[in-house]
Amino acid sequence: MSSSEAEPDRGWFVRILDNSGGAEEGIVEEVKDFQDLAHANAYARAYVRDSIERCRVGGAVGREVLESWFSFGEDAIVVEAGDDGWKSASELEDFAATPASPMERDWRTLDPRRLVEDDEQVEL
């Protein structure tokens, strides 16, 4: 199986990790049922972007933000995506240096659980 194919019975999923060590094995939750790898990557990126913004205190930038995030924030990884999966390490410094717009940190609109709930509520 190539890294760009998800297992048919599992689909793509994103693992949320607690940097503070408060969760068992660091895992807070696993979010499943993404439409494709791009969807999972976009969710993981927005989730981490939001987590970094929640750790930005008093207008801090750079190293202060990263120190706070590594102590209290949450990371997100696209499981079994290999090199095709988004990695927070490649963008952490940029995220810490520049505050995010509301759209950049809106992971909730990308949450596949929300998409399923919205579909279930539609009556024909």
Side-chain angles (χ1 to χ4, degrees):
M1 177 179 313
S2 77
S3 63
S4 62
E5 296 176 17
E7 293 179 32
D9 60 334
R10 291 177 58 191
W12 295 109
F13 67 101
V14 173
R15 184 170 290 147
I16 307 299
L17 303 170
D18 181 0
N19 289 340
S20 70
E24 186 175 327
E25 296 183 29
I27 300 171
V28 175
E29 67 179 316
E30 290 181 343
V31 181
K32 302 177 182 184
D33 300 323
F34 290 93
Q35 296 170 354
D36 53 30
L37 180 57
H39 182 201
N41 282 339
Y43 175 88
R45 185 178 191 276
Y47 194 95
V48 170
R49 193 74 163 115
D50 184 56
S51 179
I52 285 178
E53 292 309 311
R54 286 183 279 118
C55 291
R56 188 182 305 277
V57 179
V61 294
R63 188 165 188 76
E64 292 173 325
V65 176
L66 288 179
E67 287 174 1
S68 179
W69 184 76
F70 279 115
S71 295
F72 307 108
E74 294 177 329
D75 199 359
I77 59 169
V78 182
V79 178
E80 298 179 8
D83 292 339
D84 295 329
W86 180 82
K87 311 270 187 299
S88 62
S90 64
E91 293 193 83
L92 284 178
E93 288 186 25
D94 290 338
F95 287 178
T98 308
S101 70
M103 181 186 269
E104 289 174 309
R105 57 188 294 199
D106 189 6
W107 55 269
R108 290 166 186 86
T109 60
L110 298 168
D111 193 326
R113 298 168 294 190
R114 180 175 180 243
L115 297 174
V116 170
E117 290 170 10
D118 289 348
D119 288 345
E120 291 173 355
Q121 292 176 5
V122 175
E123 294 182 27
L124 299 176

